[in-house]
Amino acid sequence: MLKAIFSLPFASTFPPMVKKQANLTSPAGLTFQETKILSFIVSGLSNKDIAFKLCISQSTVKTHVANIFKKLGLVNRTEASIYAVKNGLISGDNNVQK
């Protein structure tokens, strides 16, 4: 039975569109976690959905989102999405399952 359980495919909770996962910071000065969250923002996920996917609290997501906005000099999720795609931080052609 254990063999059957361990042979099951598991879906990754990390978005496939984060570039250069080995780097701890992005060219924009974002941490790896902030870059993952930004990719979920680009995909249109809410803070609640992001928190669920990353197994962190909604308030932690909210803090990361605020840090992203501050570091990039932006004020909302739409601006952050546009910035991320235009500057090559996130590929805009991949979709994350909601």
Side-chain angles (χ1 to χ4, degrees):
M1 182 163 169
L2 286 177
K3 186 176 181 180
I5 291 172
F6 286 113
S7 66
L8 292 174
F10 292 97
S12 174
T13 59
F14 301 111
M17 63 195 73
V18 176
K19 293 185 177 182
K20 297 184 181 180
Q21 292 186 2
N23 291 343
L24 296 178
T25 59
S26 73
L30 300 178
T31 65
F32 178 64
Q33 185 80 331
E34 290 167 345
T35 305
K36 286 192 298 187
I37 290 172
L38 181 57
S39 69
F40 283 129
I41 290 171
V42 170
S43 298
L45 297 182
S46 67
N47 286 356
K48 182 179 180 180
D49 293 334
I50 294 169
F52 178 78
K53 286 190 173 283
L54 297 179
C55 299
I56 58 178
S57 72
Q58 288 184 52
S59 63
T60 300
V61 174
K62 187 176 179 180
T63 299
H64 283 303
V65 171
N67 289 339
I68 291 166
F69 291 168
K70 184 176 180 181
K71 287 179 180 181
L72 300 180
L74 306 170
V75 295
N76 61 44
R77 295 167 95 87
T78 302
E79 284 185 358
S81 296
I82 292 168
Y83 180 94
V85 173
K86 277 189 174 181
N87 290 286
L89 298 177
I90 306 296
S91 172
D93 57 354
N94 294 326
N95 291 322
V96 173
Q97 295 292 330
K98 291 186 181 182

